Structures are given as structure tokens and as C-alpha cells.
Amino acid sequence: MIVLGIETSCDETGICFLEIEKEKIKIKSNLISSQVKFHEKYGGVYPFLAKRLHEKNLPFLFERAKKEAKIKKIDLVAVTTRPGLEPCLWQGFNFGKEISKKEKIPLVGVNHLEAHVLINFFEKKILGEKIRKFLPGLCLVVSGGHTNLFLMKEIGHYQSLGKTRDDAVGECQDKIGRLLGFSYPAGPKISAFLKKKKGNFLKIALPRPMINQKNFDFSFSGLKTAVFYEVQKRKKISLREKLGILREMFFSIRDVLIAKTERAIKIFQPKSLLLGGGVIRDDFLRKEFKKLEKKEKIKVFIPQKENCTDNALMVAFAGYLRFQNHLPNLRISAKEDI
Ligand code: KG4
Ligand code: ZN
């Protein structure tokens, strides 16, 4: 069957055609149009501009992908329906609905967070019954909009363990980065900066918010405020200070994410750990999480970098799994996560 995936929950417009026949699975076309340069001057995503850009990009990307995929018919439409920026979600949903009506084919609503972690099974070609071997899976999505820890009991059956009470990790990094002169999105730029600039750095201690609390919630606004004070008390930030602050910010984020994940592994004894989300592109975090494989004796799935950030391939695959498992359709909901 041919599955069309549509992603418009935030600032990436994505269209993907996926061909799936039993155990065989092939990407026919996977296109993404990033809006980053349009939002840069606002220092974050401006929802109504994002909606207008999705509206403009969707038909164009769809036609290009159809040509590239050389497909004659579509069998299923999968579209992100939650969580996300509401005007953006509607844009993708209405576009998908039109196609599903015209072609008389089913439309499946997909949860953006499940798509971020299910992509791991796609990459390793783990399909059908084979997925069961890795469930329950502990899932951690770390992105610009989300920091969520949840259990995947079955596909489509999730138990939320915890989430951020304020800023998501990506949002916190982007805001701290902005304060230190990095344009939006700052996450990848800080990551590259720390990799390149070694040497003398300021030793500084930043908080590890909620690390000792016996729950699975997160909070990163305190970390942002702590950096704000460090910057404010100095007239000018030297390279040595910038390096020290950013290094320590990364360590703080790493410590909190790993501590909560390890605690969840010990309590819930999952068969696998599934990661996802844009922040997981960072090499330092990837290495740190991979260490848990030996330490906690658990299979750790980390998506390839290009599949960590928002894309339509993850939506097409998650939609196919929902359809195959006869799961209920998910309606649009901006806030409802897992
Ligand atoms: O998953 P995603 O594309 O969108 C959301 O669903 O939010 O994640 C975007 C976030 C941004 O905050 C961006 O700064 C961060 O992912 N990001 C990174 C890296 N690449 C993207 N953060 C750290 N290191 C990276 N290499
Ligand atoms: Zn995302």
C-alpha cells in the first residue's frame, strides 16, 4: 500500500510517500520545507505565519513528491493531529481530508510524539509482531516544543509518566542561545560551537531542576533564569565565559534527562528505550544515552539525525501502524500530548 504522510504541527512542512508491502518498506519520496529563516527575526515560531507558509507549501510539495514517487494511487492518508500549533494542525488536516475525500481512502490522525519515537522501528525495519519484543518501551521525546517521558505499552497505548511544567529543553536552549548571540534555532548552533571551541572555559555551577524529585516531570525555566543572571551580572561575555555557561547548560540538561530516564527504567523495567525529537540530534546527548545500553542492560533506540527533527516520514509510518492496528482516529487537539 502507498501511505501519504503530512506533517504541519510546527514550522516544518513535510510530505512523504511510503510504500509498504508486508515486511517490505520503501520511501518513495520524503520532502521537507523548513520555515526557519522566516521565523528567525521573531526569535521563535510565529504561529499564524507558520500556518500561512504551510498553506502555501503543501500543494507545491505534494505535487513535487507525487512526481518524484511516480505513484498512481494513494491508499491511506496519515496526518499529525496533536499536539502542535492549532492553526498549523488544521492546515495539514484539511489538506489531507481533501485528498482522502477525493480518492475515497481512509485518513488517520497521528500523535506527533508517538511518530517521533516509532521512527526507530522504521529505521531498524522492525515491523508487525516483531515490535512486541521491544514493548513496553520507555519513550523520551526532547524537542523545541516537548519534553515528555512515557511508556509505550502497545502501539497506540501510552502511559504518560512526566513532562515539562514550563519550557521544553529545545525552547530553553534556544532562549539561552539567543541571550548569548545565537540566532533561532540556537540548539544546533550551540552544539556545533561546543564541539569546535575547546580550551579554557569558565567553571560555573548551574542548577539541575527537579533532579531529586521522585516524579518524572521536568522544569527548565529555572535553568534559563540562572543563565540570565550570570549574563546580567557581567558587562560583556568573553569567549571563556560563553563556553563555560553553555557547557554547563548542556551538562545540566544531560544530568536531568538521564537521571529521570534511569529512574523510570528501574521502576518500570521496560524492554527498550526509544528516543526522539530535535534535541536528540546533539552528539553529546546521543553518546550519553547510548551508554545506558550497557549500564542499564536495555536496548536503546536513537533515530538517525535527519529523523530526529520534524518530518513526514515518521507521520506516514506511525499512521500505517495505527491503521494496521485498527486504532481510533485522533482528532485535532493542540495541547493533548500522550
Ligand atoms: O523535533 P523538532 O524539530 O520540533 C519540535 O517538535 O519542537 O525540534 C526542534 C528543536 C529546536 O529547539 C532546536 O534547537 C533543537 O531541536 N535542535 C538541537 C539540535 N538540532 C535541533 N538541539 C541541540 N543540538 C542539535 N544538534
Ligand atoms: Zn517534533
Side-chain angles (χ1 to χ4, degrees), residues 217-337:
D217 277 349
F218 303 93
S219 163
F220 292 98
S221 71
L223 178 62
K224 189 184 66 189
T225 311
V227 173
F228 183 77
Y229 286 128
E230 287 298 332
V231 173
Q232 217 182 29
K233 74 185 183 199
R234 293 173 169 86
K235 265 205 182 116
K236 204 171 166 282
I237 299 278
S238 67
L239 178 62
R240 184 176 155 270
E241 288 167 333
K242 200 166 167 173
L243 260 174
I245 292 172
L246 293 174
R247 261 175 65 98
E248 176 66 3
M249 173 193 81
F250 262 42
F251 289 151
S252 163
I253 290 168
R254 183 254 338 248
D255 290 351
V256 174
L257 292 178
I258 298 265
K260 299 259 170 178
T261 304
E262 273 196 279
R263 217 167 73 77
I265 293 174
K266 288 194 167 73
I267 293 175
F268 297 99
Q269 308 261 307
K271 301 244 175 62
S272 65
L273 171 64
L274 298 141
L275 302 179
V279 176
I280 301 295
R281 283 178 80 118
D282 174 58
D283 285 319
F284 171 65
L285 263 190
R286 296 168 80 85
K287 265 192 217 137
E288 295 291 311
F289 273 105
K290 203 69 192 165
K291 287 182 191 163
L292 293 185
E293 203 145 66
K294 249 194 181 160
K295 195 170 170 215
E296 299 291 337
K297 295 185 185 55
I298 187 171
K299 172 74 191 156
V300 178
F301 289 99
I302 307 178
Q304 287 166 26
K305 287 187 187 176
E306 67 269 27
N307 289 334
C308 285
T309 23
D310 292 349
N311 62 82
L313 168 62
M314 67 182 195
V315 180
F317 184 63
Y320 166 74
L321 290 179
R322 288 195 76 90
F323 181 72
Q324 200 191 29
N325 287 285
H326 311 289
L327 288 163
N329 210 346
L330 297 178
R331 295 184 165 276
I332 298 257
S333 173
K335 288 233 159 53
E336 198 169 329
D337 31 45

Side-chain angles (χ1 to χ4, degrees), residues 85-245:
L85 303 170
E86 198 166 335
C88 300
L89 291 170
W90 278 110
Q91 206 60 52
F93 177 77
N94 287 333
F95 189 79
K97 201 170 87 182
E98 279 300 306
I99 296 169
S100 105
K101 257 195 194 160
K102 203 169 137 220
E103 306 283 331
K104 298 190 177 58
I105 53 172
L107 178 128
V108 186
V110 168
N111 185 308
H112 187 77
L113 301 181
E114 72 178 340
H116 263 306
V117 289
L118 286 173
I119 190 77
N120 286 295
F121 292 138
F122 168 83
E123 285 189 2
K124 296 283 181 281
K125 306 274 177 278
I126 300 169
L127 290 168
E129 280 301 304
K130 286 187 203 151
I131 292 178
R132 283 248 158 77
K133 204 178 127 200
F134 299 99
L135 302 182
L138 178 67
C139 306
L140 177 68
V141 176
V142 194
S143 71
H146 316 282
T147 307
N148 288 61
L149 195 58
F150 56 97
L151 269 184
M152 185 189 293
K153 295 178 164 177
E154 292 284 337
I155 301 218
H157 298 280
Y158 309 106
Q159 180 190 343
S160 172
L161 301 180
K163 57 183 170 185
T164 184
R165 293 185 181 173
D166 39 62
D167 290 3
V169 171
E171 191 182 355
C172 168
Q173 281 181 359
D174 291 342
K175 284 178 183 163
I176 288 178
R178 192 179 181 194
L179 205 62
L180 293 171
F182 295 88
S183 63
Y184 173 83
K189 291 158 198 157
I190 299 173
S191 183
F193 174 78
L194 289 178
K195 246 172 114 178
K196 207 169 87 192
K197 297 252 190 279
K198 301 271 185 267
N200 190 8
F201 56 85
L202 171 78
K203 289 203 176 56
I204 181 181
L206 291 174
R208 268 77 175 144
M210 295 182 75
I211 196 163
N212 292 320
Q213 288 191 23
K214 302 251 171 290
N215 56 38
F216 300 103
D217 277 349
F218 303 93
S219 163
F220 292 98
S221 71
L223 178 62
K224 189 184 66 189
T225 311
V227 173
F228 183 77
Y229 286 128
E230 287 298 332
V231 173
Q232 217 182 29
K233 74 185 183 199
R234 293 173 169 86
K235 265 205 182 116
K236 204 171 166 282
I237 299 278
S238 67
L239 178 62
R240 184 176 155 270
E241 288 167 333
K242 200 166 167 173
L243 260 174
I245 292 172

